[in-house]
Amino acid sequence: MAFDGSALSVVNTTFSSTTRQAIAGFDGSIINIASTTIDGVSDDMGIGIFDSTATITNSTITNVENDYGIASFNSTVDISTSTVKNVGEDGISFFDNSFGTITNSIVDSSGRDGVSVYDSSLNISTSTISNTAGDGLVEYYSTTAINNVAIENGGGDGVAVYYGTASINGSKISGFSKGSGVYLDHVVEKVKISDSEISDNAIGISSYEIPVSQSATLAPDVNIHDNVQDFEIN
């Protein structure tokens, strides 16, 4: 753990069967995690970043039984070329004015949502989110940019936007047989969707109380097909 502005570098390290967070930073710490494996956390999150800055590269977080794989609180966290898998709650979460980036990464088999964003900002690109018990990616009061991301197979919605906004470009959202590929609820700005495919969901795009045309802007190259219903006002 790192506290009070200290620096911590964790490289080529394996953590197995821990009870609490394998790695954590607090109060202005600067954390670098590279080529590291966390396998098995029983009672806490895999990595927790609080009021700090973290870079996570080429790392794997698996088998976090009852909490988040990676969680950021009022922090800046950059995640690249990493895997988060078999997590009891959300795979990766951003809270409390965090800013996050996720690139070239995999989030698989989350017990709740794959990626969640609360009162924060996220850029996610060239990544895969799959096999979630809940939503693939969900945001509340946040801004999210989704570029070249595959969001596949979950028990909730593929992308869910509540009281925020998002852009979705070059992405594929499929396999949400009980929910919508994209669900929009009280968005503060129209969600922009371009060059994307939304298919094989219960509903392609669903908008709460108002037509989809008032919640989203769809470019001509958006392909919405083979959903039980392509559009719905919820």
Side-chain angles (χ1 to χ4, degrees):
M1 294 188 181
F3 299 89
D4 299 326
S6 60
L8 173 67
S9 183
V10 182
V11 181
N12 292 319
T13 304
T14 298
F15 299 87
S16 299
S17 302
T18 65
T19 301
R20 300 300 304 275
Q21 300 140 336
I23 304 170
F26 301 87
D27 302 324
S29 297
I30 300 172
I31 313 295
N32 176 56
I33 303 166
S35 303
T36 288
T37 297
I38 299 169
D39 185 5
V41 181
S42 60
D43 293 320
D44 213 326
M45 62 195 74
I47 298 172
I49 308 298
F50 303 82
D51 305 296
S52 297
T53 300
T55 302
I56 303 168
T57 58
N58 297 307
S59 294
T60 301
I61 299 95
T62 60
N63 301 316
V64 179
E65 294 180 16
N66 298 305
D67 215 316
Y68 307 103
I70 301 170
S72 168
F73 301 84
N74 190 34
S75 297
T76 297
V77 177
D78 297 327
I79 302 164
S80 63
T81 325
S82 295
T83 297
V84 178
K85 186 173 182 179
N86 294 331
V87 173
E89 292 197 17
D90 299 353
I92 303 174
S93 292
F94 300 89
F95 299 93
D96 304 332
N97 296 309
S98 288
F99 178 77
T101 60
I102 302 172
T103 57
N104 295 310
S105 294
I106 295 169
V107 180
D108 183 57
S109 300
S110 300
R112 198 166 62 180
D113 303 318
V115 175
S116 57
V117 190
Y118 297 88
D119 297 292
S120 297
S121 298
L122 170 67
N123 292 334
I124 178 170
S125 61
T126 325
S127 296
T128 300
I129 303 169
S130 58
N131 303 314
T132 61
D135 299 331
L137 188 153
V138 61
E139 65 153 86
Y140 290 84
Y141 301 97
S142 298
T143 300
T144 304
I146 303 165
N147 292 290
N148 298 306
V149 178
I151 303 175
E152 305 167 337
N153 304 325
D157 301 312
V159 174
V161 179
Y162 297 86
Y163 301 94
T165 191
S167 62
I168 303 170
N169 177 67
S171 296
K172 181 177 181 180
I173 305 170
S174 63
F176 292 84
S177 60
K178 298 179 181 179
S180 302
V182 177
Y183 179 75
L184 308 173
D185 188 336
H186 289 91
V187 299
V188 297
E189 183 179 331
K190 283 187 178 182
V191 171
K192 298 178 177 63
I193 307 175
S194 60
D195 190 25
S196 294
E197 182 179 7
I198 302 170
S199 65
D200 300 300
N201 307 289
I203 303 164
I205 302 177
S206 179
S207 176
Y208 182 72
E209 291 188 339
I210 61 175
V212 169
S213 61
Q214 295 180 31
S215 294
T217 300
L218 307 182
D221 54 8
V222 175
N223 188 5
I224 302 172
H225 65 94
D226 291 320
N227 303 285
V228 176
Q229 183 175 342
D230 284 338
F231 299 96
E232 181 182 78
I233 300 174
N234 191 306

